[in-house]
Amino acid sequence: MSGDETLQRNPLGADRARFAASVAEQLIRDGVRCVVAAGWAVEDVPAMKFAARFYQRLLCGDRFIDAVGAARLAAWEANPRGNTWAAYQCYGDPDWRYADPAAAPVATATEVPVLASAPALTLVLENEALDARYEIPASGPDAAQLRARRRRDRLERLSRLRARYAPLWGGIGAVAEAFGLAYAECDDTSEALAWYERAHGAADGSASMRASEQLGNLRARVGEASGDAGTIDQAIGLLQQLVALRETPERHSLLGSAYKRQAMLRAHVPATGDERQALLAALGEYERAEALCHAAGANELHYPSLNIAAVQLRLAMKDGKAAQVADRIEQVRVALQAQATAA
């Protein structure tokens, strides 16, 4: 086969394995629990044997890592002289098991694993957060009760993890951040806020900047819900510091959201300050987030753009004028369509 023919069949060339790895890593970041990607072209029969054995073992309850091992063996047995058995790159949680979404209950609260390290605890907490975020919605006449029971079970499990391991590793920034994320996904705002506070103040510096971003976001939400203007001011101050360190669309959007919540509080309690001033500050932050998305060619501008329209509508209503937001709504529609196409 000529070099040109080879390139046509495999346009990625030697970068094929790297491409597979990058796709898998992005899927993991997006919340996929496990990924199998081929690093090079595979043979039909061994590939079929790999897939059949892999899914057979998953359906029998094997762990992800064990199902992969059995599938590799099946591919090798199909052609010991080939390399298809070695082509499959595997990413994710090695202990993940498939469970029928319709029948799978949340792990009982008493099932607290024995863990030997802080990173192991962090992984368990991140898995709890992902399970809560991507849980198969309950259906049927008892759906509400089932959702409530699942949430109670998750929170009880987190409580037991906290009781057993927080005295050992709760002061580590990455662990505190993982607790914060897990509680946030379970809609326990007070616990999430407390753990993000610990992560933000941890002396070891292992928490990510996202922990501080989420701390600012939760402070603003709690302040608006409780009518505490001071808590919102704290959120705005923290988010301003983060923006000063490095501008990102996310940080400007979070700061815009904090100002918007400040405006909502001021609308209900005028003594807390000028609503218009807060609205204009929110508008400026959302516009900056939108501009950064445009500059980066990102499709994720629907959030700041929709909030710009919402703030403009509120300002127009206060002034007794009609807001001109049709063009921005169309821009959001195009961005969402582009994002869906890219996915």
Side-chain angles (χ1 to χ4, degrees), residues 116-123 169 172 175:
S117 68
L121 174 59
T122 299
L123 178 61
W169 304 310
I172 298 174
V175 170

Side-chain angles (χ1 to χ4, degrees), residues 9 91 95-96 116 138 143 191 239 252 266 310 317 324 330 343:
R9 292 186 61 180
Y91 302 80
D95 293 324
W96 179 83
E191 281 290 340
L239 292 167
H252 279 289
R266 290 178 176 183
M317 185 181 71
Q324 305 299 322
E330 174 62 16

Side-chain angles (χ1 to χ4, degrees), residues 3-16 19:
D4 289 343
E5 290 174 329
T6 301
L7 184 60
Q8 289 175 2
R9 292 186 61 180
N10 181 14
L12 292 171
D15 286 335
R16 183 168 185 154
F19 175 76

Side-chain angles (χ1 to χ4, degrees), residues 211-229:
S212 298
E213 293 173 354
Q214 291 308 305
L215 173 59
N217 184 37
L218 284 179
R219 280 178 177 174
R221 289 168 54 188
V222 169
E224 189 265 329
S226 63
D228 187 346

Side-chain angles (χ1 to χ4, degrees), residues 280-340:
L280 291 173
L283 183 61
E285 296 301 329
Y286 286 131
E287 287 177 339
R288 181 57 182 158
E290 184 185 61
L292 289 173
C293 286
H294 278 302
N299 293 323
E300 294 84 2
L301 54 76
H302 55 277
Y303 179 81
S305 296
L306 279 176
N307 277 284
I308 289 170
V311 173
Q312 288 176 335
L313 285 169
R314 177 61 179 169
L315 287 168
M317 185 181 71
K318 286 177 66 65
D319 295 338
K321 299 178 181 178
Q324 305 299 322
V325 298
D327 290 344
R328 180 156 270 108
I329 297 300
E330 174 62 16
Q331 177 177 287
V332 170
R333 186 192 68 78
V334 171
L336 288 172
Q337 187 175 28
Q339 190 174 21

Side-chain angles (χ1 to χ4, degrees), residues 123-200:
L123 178 61
V124 168
L125 291 169
E126 289 173 349
N127 285 340
E128 290 288 342
L130 287 171
D131 285 344
R133 182 183 302 176
Y134 297 107
E135 180 179 76
I136 302 298
S139 59
D142 298 326
Q145 293 90 331
L146 179 57
R147 286 195 299 271
R149 181 181 66 79
R150 286 177 174 175
R151 180 176 182 272
R152 286 195 304 270
D153 287 348
R154 290 194 190 284
L155 288 174
E156 176 62 20
R157 181 173 169 81
L158 288 176
S159 177
R160 290 174 179 266
L161 285 167
R162 181 188 63 204
R164 178 176 293 185
Y165 296 114
L168 292 174
W169 304 310
I172 298 174
V175 170
E177 180 179 1
F179 267 115
L181 175 63
Y183 275 113
E185 292 296 342
C186 292
D187 297 321
D188 189 332
T189 302
S190 61
E191 281 290 340
L193 180 61
W195 279 104
Y196 277 131
E197 293 277 7
R198 292 180 69 170
H200 177 68

